[in-house]
Amino acid sequence: MALDNPTSQAAVTTADKVFEQMLHDIVEGNIQAGSKISEPELAKKFQISRSTLREALNRLEKCHLIERKANVGSRVVECSISGLLEIYIVREALEGMACRQAAQNMTDIEISEMRAMLKQHATAKALRDGIAYYQEEGDLDFHYKVILGSHNQQLINILCGQLYHLVRMYRCQFGMNSPRATKAFDEHSRIIEAIADRDGELAEMLMRRHIAASRKNIENKIAQQQ
Amino acid sequence: MALDNPTSQAAVTTADKVFEQMLHDIVEGNIQAGSKISEPELAKKFQISRSTLREALNRLEKCHLIERKANVGSRVVECSISGLLEIYIVREALEGMACRQAAQNMTDIEISEMRAMLKQHATAKALRDGIAYYQEEGDLDFHYKVILGSHNQQLINILCGQLYHLVRMYRCQFGMNSPRATKAFDEHSRIIEAIADRDGELAEMLMRRHIAASRKNIENKIAQQQ
DNA sequence: AATTCATTTATTGTCGACAATTAGTGGTTT
DNA sequence: AAACCACTAATTGTCGACAATAAATGAATT
């Protein structure tokens, strides 16, 4: 067995790299939401053939970041308020369940790692009063860890593999740094305690409320603007 | 605007047709679960180029029916008991939420259509004592209608677009026709009533129990076998 | 002037061939 | 005999070109 890859990490093809670059560009808004994707143009930009580009586009489509119509072409998805709320609904259901499963399936080591992470976030937060930091990176870290802790491959695939890129895209496009940072932190720590107590029912309920609170926060904002 | 397509249905490419054929073959088990997919072999079988075949494979991958590794190739997914249970967990969460949303968003017309469907299933069931029929087709119909009734595009995409092919595959591979047919029918009708009452909370709870009951039914079967 | 239709242009879908990587084979060494 | 290595064969990734479809342009008609 000849391993070209001593660290046994999966091979990375050209299409992979282009995918990651475009993923970044779309999430950050460098490629505008709703814009049409020209295959010849992008292939030229990346100095690759259209076949390779289309391979990358297929992966973006898997993440629901672009939409393709036969014989017509691809467009970057639009970011609408209703679309954002739809995602929150899905997250409430899926992450709630992930949290219940995490309470059941996480190892003690994983739990202590989560506690350590939260503690580190707390100090970072106090130090820099880094609301923005905590809101963006810390929040995602926390949710990721819970999802992985479910040990349910389907949940992990759907949430981490596809939905979370969309979540990140919305955060960037709408510039979301709500005043919920400190409140969110408390909610996170209560969720971890429920997981540590192996109380799946409570853990699910807390996670659902946590996500629903974010959603309602947005709904209220929208209502005020009108 | 020149429409070649008077019925305004989306164009169907060669890759689409190959995808649908392979989807059928994998779900029905004609292409064995866990088996390796040889691109040259399949391309020859379908009389198409590898590019077109790979386009079809990409769509199968989106449905989580095959798994690809760079520079290695594709395999049909394995059907394991643990994998089946994982899907039930996801369905419990997502269809539960879909049901809640359906109670909120379904039109009165959609609701009466669902009632009509259930009534028709009831007569079909009585007529033919068609347990198998109801279990397979009727059950899927019911769940589909609820999901669509949520009017949440993300939920619809995930459940109808990708997860349900896997569900069908497992049903075929494991030959699932449980003795829950009549019980399931009653549960379905209670769920519809909750939706008609616009009681989202109850509707979600009933749907979750409905799916959880199926899961536990399987878990018990497995436990007995050991 | 607006609409319709035919023509042209551009984009997407599909093809076959080559390059890069992996899997398989046989020989060599300990 | 088992493990290692070089070599061959097969498979996957990538490329450029052609065919099929959709969009854009402009001329003709009402």
Side-chain angles (χ1 to χ4, degrees):
Chain A
M1 144 172 153
L3 264 187
D4 248 25
N5 224 333
T7 55
S8 89
Q9 54 192 347
V12 173
T13 129
T14 310
D16 283 321
K17 292 181 216 159
V18 173
F19 161 70
E20 297 226 12
Q21 180 63 48
M22 289 191 68
L23 173 64
H24 182 269
D25 288 348
I26 290 176
V27 166
E28 300 280 331
N30 301 336
I31 301 179
Q32 197 170 10
S35 63
K36 172 131 178 35
I37 287 179
S38 161
E39 293 184 6
E41 183 186 322
L42 275 176
K44 197 172 122 197
K45 174 181 162 190
F46 285 113
Q47 307 263 43
I48 57 175
S49 76
R50 271 182 56 227
S51 314
T52 309
L53 178 72
R54 281 161 70 86
E55 184 68 38
L57 293 183
N58 268 315
R59 284 175 223 185
L60 291 171
E61 198 186 1
K62 270 199 292 197
C63 305
H64 300 264
L65 289 176
I66 71 172
E67 288 166 349
R68 286 175 70 190
K69 272 189 208 159
N71 289 320
V72 174
S74 316
R75 302 195 82 89
V76 180
V77 294
E78 296 272 6
C79 285
S80 65
I81 298 290
S82 63
L84 178 60
L85 296 178
E86 283 193 350
I87 291 174
Y88 269 101
I89 295 291
V90 174
R91 283 186 60 197
E92 184 176 328
L94 281 183
E95 292 199 38
M97 179 58 86
C99 203
R100 176 187 284 261
Q101 297 294 306
Q104 185 182 304
N105 298 330
M106 259 187 164
T107 65
D108 292 337
I109 294 171
E110 284 176 307
I111 292 175
S112 62
E113 280 172 0
M114 279 211 67
R115 280 194 166 124
M117 182 192 72
L118 201 70
K119 191 174 259 178
Q120 193 204 318
H121 284 164
T123 59
K125 177 169 163 287
L127 262 173
R128 314 161 48 190
D129 206 347
I131 291 175
Y133 163 78
Y134 181 69
Q135 190 66 10
E136 281 173 39
E137 297 300 325
D139 188 62
L140 278 184
D141 275 3
F142 170 78
H143 286 272
Y144 250 81
K145 283 251 169 32
V146 172
I147 294 162
L148 294 177
S150 73
H151 293 201
N152 180 317
Q153 206 52 52
Q154 289 288 336
L155 279 171
I156 294 169
N157 277 342
I158 296 174
L159 283 169
C160 299
Q162 42 183 274
L163 208 58
Y164 256 78
H165 300 295
L166 257 179
V167 171
R168 280 172 48 219
M169 180 176 177
Y170 269 102
R171 290 205 178 180
C172 284
Q173 307 270 329
F174 287 176
M176 288 152 81
N177 44 347
S178 73
R180 293 194 72 256
T182 56
K183 196 179 261 182
F185 182 85
D186 291 341
E187 291 171 359
H188 286 185
S189 82
R190 284 203 196 95
I191 288 171
I192 292 181
E193 290 317 305
I195 290 175
D197 289 346
R198 303 298 184 182
D199 188 341
E201 196 177 334
L202 178 62
E204 176 171 19
M205 181 192 285
L206 289 176
M207 179 61 92
R208 285 187 63 150
R209 283 192 189 171
H210 173 58
I211 294 171
S214 284
R215 190 188 78 235
K216 284 167 190 164
N217 191 45
I218 291 168
E219 286 173 339
N220 289 339
K221 252 193 211 167
I222 302 307
Q224 282 170 19
Q225 283 177 8
Q226 284 168 351
Chain B
M1 145 170 154
L3 263 189
D4 248 24
N5 224 332
T7 54
S8 89
Q9 56 192 349
V12 173
T13 106
T14 309
D16 283 322
K17 292 182 216 158
V18 173
F19 161 70
E20 296 227 12
Q21 179 64 48
M22 289 192 68
L23 173 63
H24 182 269
D25 288 347
I26 290 177
V27 166
E28 301 280 331
N30 301 335
I31 300 179
Q32 197 170 9
S35 63
K36 173 134 176 33
I37 287 179
S38 162
E39 292 184 6
E41 184 187 322
L42 274 177
K44 199 172 121 197
K45 173 183 162 189
F46 285 113
Q47 308 263 42
I48 58 176
S49 76
R50 271 183 55 228
S51 314
T52 311
L53 178 71
R54 282 161 70 86
E55 184 68 38
L57 293 183
N58 268 315
R59 282 172 225 188
L60 290 170
E61 198 186 2
K62 270 200 292 197
C63 304
H64 299 265
L65 289 176
I66 70 173
E67 287 166 348
R68 286 174 72 189
K69 271 189 209 162
N71 289 320
V72 175
S74 315
R75 304 194 82 89
V76 180
V77 295
E78 296 272 6
C79 285
S80 66
I81 298 291
S82 64
L84 177 60
L85 296 178
E86 282 192 351
I87 291 174
Y88 269 101
I89 296 290
V90 175
R91 285 185 60 197
E92 184 176 329
L94 281 184
E95 292 199 38
M97 179 58 86
C99 203
R100 176 187 284 260
Q101 297 295 306
Q104 185 183 306
N105 298 330
M106 257 186 165
T107 65
D108 292 337
I109 294 171
E110 284 175 309
I111 291 175
S112 63
E113 280 172 358
M114 279 210 67
R115 280 194 166 125
M117 182 191 72
L118 201 70
K119 191 173 258 178
Q120 193 204 319
H121 284 164
T123 59
K125 176 169 164 289
L127 262 175
R128 313 161 46 190
D129 205 347
I131 292 174
Y133 164 77
Y134 181 68
Q135 189 66 9
E136 283 172 37
E137 298 300 325
D139 188 62
L140 278 183
D141 275 3
F142 170 78
H143 286 273
Y144 251 80
K145 283 251 170 33
V146 172
I147 295 162
L148 293 177
S150 74
H151 295 201
N152 180 315
Q153 206 53 49
Q154 289 288 336
L155 279 172
I156 294 170
N157 277 342
I158 297 175
L159 282 170
C160 299
Q162 41 182 276
L163 208 59
Y164 257 78
H165 300 295
L166 257 180
V167 171
R168 280 173 47 219
M169 179 175 177
Y170 269 103
R171 290 203 177 181
C172 284
Q173 308 269 328
F174 287 177
M176 287 152 82
N177 44 348
S178 73
R180 292 194 72 258
T182 56
K183 196 179 262 182
F185 181 84
D186 291 341
E187 290 172 0
H188 286 184
S189 82
R190 285 205 194 94
I191 289 171
I192 292 181
E193 290 318 304
I195 291 175
D197 289 345
R198 304 297 184 183
D199 187 340
E201 196 177 334
L202 178 61
E204 175 171 19
M205 181 192 285
L206 290 176
M207 179 61 92
R208 285 186 63 150
R209 284 192 188 171
H210 173 59
I211 294 171
S214 284
R215 190 189 77 236
K216 283 167 190 164
N217 190 46
I218 291 167
E219 287 174 338
N220 289 338
K221 253 194 210 166
I222 303 306
Q224 282 170 18
Q225 283 175 7
Q226 285 168 349

